[in-house]
Amino acid sequence: MIGGYADSPLAKGMDAIFREYEKLFREEGVTAMDPLGKPFDPHYHEAFGFMDKKGVEEGAVAEFFRPGFLLGDKVLRTAKVRLQQKKK
């Protein structure tokens, strides 16, 4: 962490809170999406532009900014992604 705050009481407290949220989400069946390399699907992804990344098929998710989450098979939040651009 910047400025040596990783060992501060605030940082330790925030870390503990995030671990508890992750535990609660797992117990309730909430899972994070793994969109990288998958074809774009507007039901699961919110596209925010294009990029050129080697090894990724045209129109597939090349990068994500914000993870998406599922509750079972229902979308709680879409993933914000960039797509592989068309080859010229």
Side-chain angles (χ1 to χ4, degrees):
M1 187 172 251
I2 297 173
Y5 296 109
D7 293 330
S8 73
L10 177 61
K12 289 178 181 177
M14 293 300 294
D15 188 49
I17 290 169
F18 287 128
R19 282 196 309 269
E20 284 298 314
Y21 273 117
E22 289 173 348
K23 178 182 170 189
L24 177 63
F25 289 159
R26 277 193 309 275
E27 290 171 355
E28 295 298 322
V30 175
T31 57
M33 294 180 201
D34 182 15
L36 291 178
K38 295 186 176 142
F40 174 73
D41 184 333
H43 295 102
Y44 295 92
H45 311 127
E46 188 175 353
F48 280 89
F50 294 92
M51 65 182 300
D52 188 15
K53 187 173 181 181
K54 291 184 180 181
V56 179
E57 291 186 32
E58 179 182 316
V61 175
E63 177 181 56
F64 72 94
F65 302 104
R66 182 186 78 182
F69 293 95
L70 301 169
L71 177 58
D73 61 349
K74 295 184 180 187
V75 176
L76 293 177
R77 181 173 84 178
T78 57
K80 287 188 177 183
V81 301
R82 275 194 195 155
L83 304 177
Q84 178 69 12
Q85 67 185 7
K86 293 182 179 181
K87 302 295 182 198
K88 294 180 182 180

